[in-house]
C-alpha cells in the first residue's frame, strides 16, 4: 500500500495487467472518457499523456463526418457537430460550441484532428476542437486555401495556398499572383511560391497515396498534389458519367480507394464511381442509387430542393442528403437508414471528416491570438 502511494498507482488488486488496461482499453476510449480516467490515479495520467500513447489513441479514433450548425436566416456559425453511426441509434454529436464572434465563419479543411476555419474565405484560423486550442493566421489574409496536409519528410503541417488577389500583407510576401504557395504552420517564414499557374482548386479534398485530390469541373479532370515533392499533375475522371449538376460531382475516400459521385438535375439519382486501378487510372461504376424521394418529401412537408454527398464510413458507402434543418442517411440500395432534424438551427454538410486528437502540437503557441479554452469556444 505504501509503495503504491509513492508511485501513484492504485493499490494492487487482482485484475488485468496495467499494460492491457492502458494499451488495449484506455487507448480505445473517446477523448472525454479518457480525460476522466486520468483522474483515477497519477500513473494513468502519466501513461496516457505520453506522445506515443496520444498518437496511438488518435489512430484508434473514428473519422466522423462534420456538419456546420448555423443560425437560420443569419450568417452565424453556432457550432460543429459530427454524425456518429456507431451507437445503436445514429445521432448528431457535438464537436465544438462557438460564440457569437463567428460571423460568416465556416469549417474549410481538416487534417489529423485539426480544423481550418475561415471568415468569408479571407481570414484564416486553426483550431483543435478537442483540446480547445485556437490561433489565427493573420499573414495569410487574402490567400485562398486549397489544401491542408502533413508534409511526410518533415512532419510539418502545411497549407497549400492560391494567390489571386491583393493581400493584406502584400509588401511582406514577394511573388506572383495566380499561382500557388506553401505555408508551414508556426513558421516565421512567409509563404513559399511553388508555381503552377494553370488552375486553383476548391471543394472536397481527398488524401490518398500521399497526395491531395480535387475534381476540377472546368477541365473535367482530377488535380493531384504530391505532398512529398509538393508538385502537381492531372488524372483522368470517369468518362461515361451522367451530366452532373453544378453543385454535384465530387471525390471521397472509399476505403482506401478514390471514389467519385454525381447526381442528376433533380438530385434523385446518385452515381458512385471507384478508381479500381490508381496507376492506370481505370474507373468503374460501383453503385447507382435511386433516392427514396417520397419518404424525403414526406418528412420535408413538400417538394424542396436538396443536395446529396457520398461518404464511406466503417466499410459502408452512404448517401447523405441535406436540406435546411434535415439530414438523411441512405444506403446504396436506396433505403432510408436514419433522419435528423435540428430544431431552430440550420445544418450544412461540410464534406469534411474529423478524427479526434489529443496530440499536442508545438506550432499552436506560435500562432497569432493563440488561446486555450477561450473565445470562440464556449
Amino acid at each position: 500500500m505504501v509503495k503504491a502511494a509513492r508511485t501513484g498507482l492504485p493499490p494492487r488488486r487482482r485484475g488485468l495487467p496495467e499494460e492491457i488496461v492502458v494499451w488495449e482499453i484506455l487507448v480505445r476510449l473517446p477523448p472525454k472518457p479518457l480525460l476522466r480516467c486520468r483522474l483515477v490515479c497519477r500513473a494513468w495520467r502519466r501513461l496516457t499523456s505520453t506522445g506515443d500513447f496520444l498518437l496511438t489513441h488518435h489512430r484508434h479514433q473514428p473519422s466522423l463526418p462534420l456538419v456546420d450548425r448555423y443560425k437560420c436566416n443569419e450568417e452565424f456559425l453556432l457550432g460543429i457537430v459530427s454524425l456518429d453511426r456507431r451507437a445503436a441509434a445514429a445521432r448528431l454529436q457535438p464537436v465544438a460550441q462557438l460564440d457569437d464572434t463567428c460571423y460568416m465563419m465556416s469549417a474549410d479543411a481538416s487534417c489529423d484532428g485539426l480544423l481550418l476555419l475561415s471568415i468569408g474565405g479571407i481570414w484564416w484560423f486553426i483550431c483543435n476542437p478537442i483540446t480547445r486550442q485556437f490561433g489565427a493566421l493573420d499573414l495569410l489574409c487574402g490567400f485562398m486555401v486549397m489544401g491542408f496536409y502533413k508534409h511526410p519528410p518533415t512532419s510539418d503541417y502545411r497549407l497549400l495556398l492560391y494567390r489571386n488577389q491583393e493581400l493584406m500583407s502584400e509588401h511582406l510576401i514577394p511573388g506572383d499572383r495566380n499561382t500557388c504557395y506553401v505555408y508551414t504552420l508556426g513558421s516565421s517564414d512567409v509563404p513559399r511560391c511553388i508555381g503552377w499557374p494553370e488552375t486553383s482548386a476548391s471543394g472536397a479534398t481527398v488524401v490518398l497515396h500521399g497526395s491531395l485530390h480535387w475534381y476540377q469541373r472546368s477541365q473535367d479532370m482530377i488535380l493531384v498534389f504530391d505532398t512529398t515533392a509538393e508538385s502537381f499533375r492531372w488524372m483522368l475522371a470517369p468518362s461515361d458519367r451522367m451530366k452532373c449538376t453544378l453543385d454535384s460531382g465530387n471525390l471521397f475516400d472509399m476505403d482506401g480507394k478514390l471514389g467519385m459521385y454525381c447526381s442528376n438535375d433533380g438530385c434523385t439519382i446518385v452515381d458512385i464511381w471507384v478508381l479500381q486501378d490508381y496507376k492506370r487510372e481505370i474507373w468503374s461504376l460501383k453503385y447507382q442509387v435511386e433516392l427514396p424521394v417520397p419518404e424525403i418529401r414526406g418528412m420535408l412537408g413538400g417538394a424542396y430542393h436538396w443536395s446529396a454527398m457520398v461518404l464511406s464510413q466503417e466499410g459502408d458507402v452512404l448517401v447523405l442528403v441535406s436540406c435546411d434543418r434535415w439530414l438523411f442517411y441512405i444506403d446504396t440500395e436506396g433505403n432510408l437508414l436514419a433522419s435528423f432534424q435540428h430544431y431552430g438551427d440550420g445544418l450544412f454538410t461540410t464534406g469534411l471528416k474529423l478524427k479526434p486528437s489529443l496530440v499536442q502540437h508545438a506550432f499552436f503557441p506560435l500562432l497569432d491570438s493563440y488561446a486555450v479554452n477561450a473565445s470562440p469556444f464556449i
Side-chain angles (χ1 to χ4, degrees), residues 169-184:
S169 50
E170 184 83 16
H171 63 291
L172 296 176
I173 304 175
D176 299 327
R177 295 188 192 177
N178 301 315
T179 191
C180 294
Y181 291 71
V182 165
Y183 177 69
T184 300

PDB file of all heavy atoms in Angstrom, residues 169-184:
ATOM      1  N   SER A 169      -0.965  41.634 -46.445  1.00  0.00           N
ATOM      2  CA  SER A 169       0.485  41.756 -46.197  1.00  0.00           C
ATOM      3  C   SER A 169       1.247  41.689 -47.518  1.00  0.00           C
ATOM      4  O   SER A 169       2.285  41.043 -47.612  1.00  0.00           O
ATOM      5  CB  SER A 169       0.943  40.627 -45.259  1.00  0.00           C
ATOM      6  OG  SER A 169       0.487  39.362 -45.723  1.00  0.00           O
ATOM      7  N   GLU A 170       0.740  42.364 -48.538  1.00  0.00           N
ATOM      8  CA  GLU A 170       1.324  42.317 -49.881  1.00  0.00           C
ATOM      9  C   GLU A 170       2.804  42.712 -49.868  1.00  0.00           C
ATOM     10  O   GLU A 170       3.630  42.109 -50.578  1.00  0.00           O
ATOM     11  CB  GLU A 170       0.533  43.253 -50.801  1.00  0.00           C
ATOM     12  CG  GLU A 170       0.973  43.244 -52.249  1.00  0.00           C
ATOM     13  CD  GLU A 170       0.361  42.106 -53.046  1.00  0.00           C
ATOM     14  OE1 GLU A 170      -0.635  41.505 -52.581  1.00  0.00           O
ATOM     15  OE2 GLU A 170       0.889  41.805 -54.131  1.00  0.00           O
ATOM     16  N   HIS A 171       3.154  43.689 -49.045  1.00  0.00           N
ATOM     17  CA  HIS A 171       4.536  44.182 -49.031  1.00  0.00           C
ATOM     18  C   HIS A 171       5.499  43.183 -48.372  1.00  0.00           C
ATOM     19  O   HIS A 171       6.716  43.287 -48.548  1.00  0.00           O
ATOM     20  CB  HIS A 171       4.604  45.513 -48.280  1.00  0.00           C
ATOM     21  CG  HIS A 171       4.220  45.419 -46.835  1.00  0.00           C
ATOM     22  ND1 HIS A 171       2.918  45.163 -46.427  1.00  0.00           N
ATOM     23  CD2 HIS A 171       4.964  45.518 -45.691  1.00  0.00           C
ATOM     24  CE1 HIS A 171       2.883  45.134 -45.110  1.00  0.00           C
ATOM     25  NE2 HIS A 171       4.098  45.336 -44.647  1.00  0.00           N
ATOM     26  N   LEU A 172       4.966  42.208 -47.633  1.00  0.00           N
ATOM     27  CA  LEU A 172       5.824  41.245 -46.930  1.00  0.00           C
ATOM     28  C   LEU A 172       6.066  39.966 -47.724  1.00  0.00           C
ATOM     29  O   LEU A 172       7.035  39.249 -47.468  1.00  0.00           O
ATOM     30  CB  LEU A 172       5.192  40.870 -45.581  1.00  0.00           C
ATOM     31  CG  LEU A 172       5.034  41.982 -44.542  1.00  0.00           C
ATOM     32  CD1 LEU A 172       4.311  41.449 -43.309  1.00  0.00           C
ATOM     33  CD2 LEU A 172       6.393  42.556 -44.171  1.00  0.00           C
ATOM     34  N   ILE A 173       5.180  39.682 -48.684  1.00  0.00           N
ATOM     35  CA  ILE A 173       5.233  38.389 -49.373  1.00  0.00           C
ATOM     36  C   ILE A 173       5.500  38.628 -50.851  1.00  0.00           C
ATOM     37  O   ILE A 173       4.583  38.981 -51.616  1.00  0.00           O
ATOM     38  CB  ILE A 173       3.911  37.612 -49.186  1.00  0.00           C
ATOM     39  CG1 ILE A 173       3.617  37.458 -47.699  1.00  0.00           C
ATOM     40  CG2 ILE A 173       3.999  36.250 -49.857  1.00  0.00           C
ATOM     41  CD1 ILE A 173       2.283  36.809 -47.401  1.00  0.00           C
ATOM     42  N   PRO A 174       6.748  38.448 -51.293  1.00  0.00           N
ATOM     43  CA  PRO A 174       7.058  38.631 -52.713  1.00  0.00           C
ATOM     44  C   PRO A 174       6.509  37.466 -53.536  1.00  0.00           C
ATOM     45  O   PRO A 174       6.266  36.380 -53.019  1.00  0.00           O
ATOM     46  CB  PRO A 174       8.593  38.650 -52.729  1.00  0.00           C
ATOM     47  CG  PRO A 174       8.983  37.806 -51.548  1.00  0.00           C
ATOM     48  CD  PRO A 174       7.929  38.055 -50.500  1.00  0.00           C
ATOM     49  N   GLY A 175       6.317  37.725 -54.821  1.00  0.00           N
ATOM     50  CA  GLY A 175       5.867  36.650 -55.696  1.00  0.00           C
ATOM     51  C   GLY A 175       4.713  37.070 -56.572  1.00  0.00           C
ATOM     52  O   GLY A 175       4.151  38.167 -56.436  1.00  0.00           O
ATOM     53  N   ASP A 176       4.347  36.175 -57.484  1.00  0.00           N
ATOM     54  CA  ASP A 176       3.331  36.468 -58.486  1.00  0.00           C
ATOM     55  C   ASP A 176       1.939  36.125 -57.974  1.00  0.00           C
ATOM     56  O   ASP A 176       1.768  35.358 -57.020  1.00  0.00           O
ATOM     57  CB  ASP A 176       3.608  35.656 -59.758  1.00  0.00           C
ATOM     58  CG  ASP A 176       4.950  36.002 -60.380  1.00  0.00           C
ATOM     59  OD1 ASP A 176       5.345  37.177 -60.273  1.00  0.00           O
ATOM     60  OD2 ASP A 176       5.588  35.096 -60.945  1.00  0.00           O
ATOM     61  N   ARG A 177       0.947  36.686 -58.640  1.00  0.00           N
ATOM     62  CA  ARG A 177      -0.437  36.294 -58.407  1.00  0.00           C
ATOM     63  C   ARG A 177      -0.814  35.151 -59.346  1.00  0.00           C
ATOM     64  O   ARG A 177      -0.078  34.802 -60.253  1.00  0.00           O
ATOM     65  CB  ARG A 177      -1.378  37.480 -58.618  1.00  0.00           C
ATOM     66  CG  ARG A 177      -1.168  38.602 -57.604  1.00  0.00           C
ATOM     67  CD  ARG A 177      -2.254  39.657 -57.750  1.00  0.00           C
ATOM     68  NE  ARG A 177      -1.910  40.858 -57.002  1.00  0.00           N
ATOM     69  CZ  ARG A 177      -2.643  41.960 -56.986  1.00  0.00           C
ATOM     70  NH1 ARG A 177      -3.772  42.005 -57.679  1.00  0.00           N
ATOM     71  NH2 ARG A 177      -2.262  43.022 -56.289  1.00  0.00           N
ATOM     72  N   ASN A 178      -1.987  34.583 -59.088  1.00  0.00           N
ATOM     73  CA  ASN A 178      -2.494  33.468 -59.890  1.00  0.00           C
ATOM     74  C   ASN A 178      -1.504  32.312 -59.931  1.00  0.00           C
ATOM     75  O   ASN A 178      -1.236  31.731 -60.993  1.00  0.00           O
ATOM     76  CB  ASN A 178      -2.839  33.936 -61.314  1.00  0.00           C
ATOM     77  CG  ASN A 178      -3.877  35.039 -61.313  1.00  0.00           C
ATOM     78  OD1 ASN A 178      -4.870  34.964 -60.601  1.00  0.00           O
ATOM     79  ND2 ASN A 178      -3.632  36.072 -62.092  1.00  0.00           N
ATOM     80  N   THR A 179      -0.990  31.990 -58.766  1.00  0.00           N
ATOM     81  CA  THR A 179      -0.072  30.860 -58.633  1.00  0.00           C
ATOM     82  C   THR A 179      -0.144  30.335 -57.202  1.00  0.00           C
ATOM     83  O   THR A 179      -0.802  30.927 -56.345  1.00  0.00           O
ATOM     84  CB  THR A 179       1.364  31.269 -59.009  1.00  0.00           C
ATOM     85  OG1 THR A 179       2.177  30.103 -59.108  1.00  0.00           O
ATOM     86  CG2 THR A 179       1.954  32.220 -57.980  1.00  0.00           C
ATOM     87  N   CYS A 180       0.529  29.222 -56.931  1.00  0.00           N
ATOM     88  CA  CYS A 180       0.390  28.520 -55.657  1.00  0.00           C
ATOM     89  C   CYS A 180       1.575  28.766 -54.719  1.00  0.00           C
ATOM     90  O   CYS A 180       2.712  28.986 -55.167  1.00  0.00           O
ATOM     91  CB  CYS A 180       0.250  27.013 -55.902  1.00  0.00           C
ATOM     92  SG  CYS A 180      -1.265  26.574 -56.770  1.00  0.00           S
ATOM     93  N   TYR A 181       1.274  28.688 -53.427  1.00  0.00           N
ATOM     94  CA  TYR A 181       2.262  28.890 -52.373  1.00  0.00           C
ATOM     95  C   TYR A 181       2.066  27.799 -51.309  1.00  0.00           C
ATOM     96  O   TYR A 181       0.993  27.191 -51.207  1.00  0.00           O
ATOM     97  CB  TYR A 181       2.088  30.260 -51.706  1.00  0.00           C
ATOM     98  CG  TYR A 181       2.441  31.436 -52.585  1.00  0.00           C
ATOM     99  CD1 TYR A 181       1.627  31.797 -53.651  1.00  0.00           C
ATOM    100  CD2 TYR A 181       3.579  32.205 -52.336  1.00  0.00           C
ATOM    101  CE1 TYR A 181       1.949  32.881 -54.458  1.00  0.00           C
ATOM    102  CE2 TYR A 181       3.900  33.292 -53.133  1.00  0.00           C
ATOM    103  CZ  TYR A 181       3.083  33.627 -54.194  1.00  0.00           C
ATOM    104  OH  TYR A 181       3.403  34.697 -54.984  1.00  0.00           O
ATOM    105  N   VAL A 182       3.112  27.599 -50.512  1.00  0.00           N
ATOM    106  CA  VAL A 182       3.050  26.660 -49.391  1.00  0.00           C
ATOM    107  C   VAL A 182       3.463  27.394 -48.124  1.00  0.00           C
ATOM    108  O   VAL A 182       4.442  28.159 -48.123  1.00  0.00           O
ATOM    109  CB  VAL A 182       3.985  25.452 -49.635  1.00  0.00           C
ATOM    110  CG1 VAL A 182       4.221  24.665 -48.350  1.00  0.00           C
ATOM    111  CG2 VAL A 182       3.396  24.542 -50.703  1.00  0.00           C
ATOM    112  N   TYR A 183       2.695  27.175 -47.047  1.00  0.00           N
ATOM    113  CA  TYR A 183       2.997  27.806 -45.761  1.00  0.00           C
ATOM    114  C   TYR A 183       3.032  26.754 -44.671  1.00  0.00           C
ATOM    115  O   TYR A 183       2.131  25.909 -44.567  1.00  0.00           O
ATOM    116  CB  TYR A 183       1.947  28.857 -45.418  1.00  0.00           C
ATOM    117  CG  TYR A 183       2.161  29.503 -44.066  1.00  0.00           C
ATOM    118  CD1 TYR A 183       3.246  30.345 -43.846  1.00  0.00           C
ATOM    119  CD2 TYR A 183       1.294  29.248 -43.007  1.00  0.00           C
ATOM    120  CE1 TYR A 183       3.459  30.930 -42.604  1.00  0.00           C
ATOM    121  CE2 TYR A 183       1.493  29.837 -41.765  1.00  0.00           C
ATOM    122  CZ  TYR A 183       2.575  30.674 -41.562  1.00  0.00           C
ATOM    123  OH  TYR A 183       2.794  31.243 -40.344  1.00  0.00           O
ATOM    124  N   THR A 184       4.087  26.796 -43.831  1.00  0.00           N
ATOM    125  CA  THR A 184       4.245  25.864 -42.717  1.00  0.00           C
ATOM    126  C   THR A 184       3.691  26.498 -41.448  1.00  0.00           C
ATOM    127  O   THR A 184       4.110  27.604 -41.068  1.00  0.00           O
ATOM    128  CB  THR A 184       5.725  25.496 -42.517  1.00  0.00           C
ATOM    129  OG1 THR A 184       6.223  24.871 -43.706  1.00  0.00           O
ATOM    130  CG2 THR A 184       5.890  24.543 -41.344  1.00  0.00           C
TER     131      THR A 184
END
